[in-house]
Amino acid sequence: MFPRLPTVTKALLIANIVLFLLQQPFLLGNGTFEPFMLQPLRGGFDPFSPGGNFQPWQLLTYGFLHGSFSHLFFNMLALFMFGASLEQTWGEKRFLTYYLVCVAGAGVCQLLVGAMMADPVTVLGASGGVFGLLLAYGMLFPNQRVMLLFPPIPMKARTFVIVFGVMELVFGATGWQPGVAHFAHLGGMLFGWLLIRYWRGQPPFNRRPPGGPRKKNHLRSVR
């Protein structure tokens, strides 16, 4: 399976799996990675005491750590499903840039939401980047058929994105599914959407000269 995957997608899968194994008690243990999980802003920023408080690097490192096998499995399944096609379309550099921007953007949104909560929690997982990939796949391949796992219902990628986006918004606003960083997921989708719009020169990043000719913009053609 791995030899057929593009380079960056394969590297991300391996990195997440290896780090999850290192988190286990029989190796380094979860506590070793606490300075790399996304800590809430309530503790302030103390560069001389990285454990238990927010550090800038956590906006990326939290996205490579997971809290359980199921958490890792479903994130890596989505990375496998959507990452390969996007990397083959964009190339290695652009794909990696997009993924990391989504991870960091999801972290920023989670910090902002956590700052308004009475008891914010530590966050870890690749879900923000994965939801960004889902958004990109729906934009670049809107009519491609994808299959839900539970229940197994086929639908167009564009519909798939809308369904998951609405679900995350409802769960986040109502608190029906506690223990999940729904606004981080939405943040990954938001920053992914903004980055694609920026690459395409579309509002709010319109780079076309005023009155200049407008070229036809294909969903598959991300400049």
Side-chain angles (χ1 to χ4, degrees), residues 74-149:
F74 286 109
N75 277 340
M76 295 305 98
L77 177 62
L79 176 58
F80 171 78
M81 289 174 59
F82 304 119
S85 297
L86 292 171
E87 184 177 350
Q88 289 166 353
T89 301
W90 280 336
E92 296 175 5
K93 183 178 179 180
R94 179 154 290 190
F95 173 73
L96 181 60
T97 298
Y98 178 87
Y99 182 81
L100 295 180
V101 165
C102 290
V103 169
V108 169
C109 290
Q110 179 61 34
L111 289 177
L112 294 176
V113 172
M116 297 183 286
M117 298 172 61
D119 190 22
V121 297
T122 300
V123 174
L124 66 165
S127 302
V130 165
F131 270 80
L133 297 183
L134 171 62
L135 183 280
Y137 193 87
M139 291 181 70
L140 270 68
F141 310 103
N143 296 316
Q144 185 71 33
R145 291 280 177 176
V146 295
M147 179 76 74
L148 280 173
L149 290 180

Side-chain angles (χ1 to χ4, degrees), residues 139-183:
M139 291 181 70
L140 270 68
F141 310 103
N143 296 316
Q144 185 71 33
R145 291 280 177 176
V146 295
M147 179 76 74
L148 280 173
L149 290 180
F150 306 107
I153 301 174
M155 62 180 67
K156 290 184 178 180
R158 177 171 49 200
T159 305
F160 191 75
V161 170
I162 294 172
V163 168
F164 266 81
V166 171
M167 287 173 56
E168 289 300 311
L169 183 60
V170 170
F171 287 147
T174 61
W176 286 350
Q177 194 179 27
V180 179
H182 297 289
F183 287 103

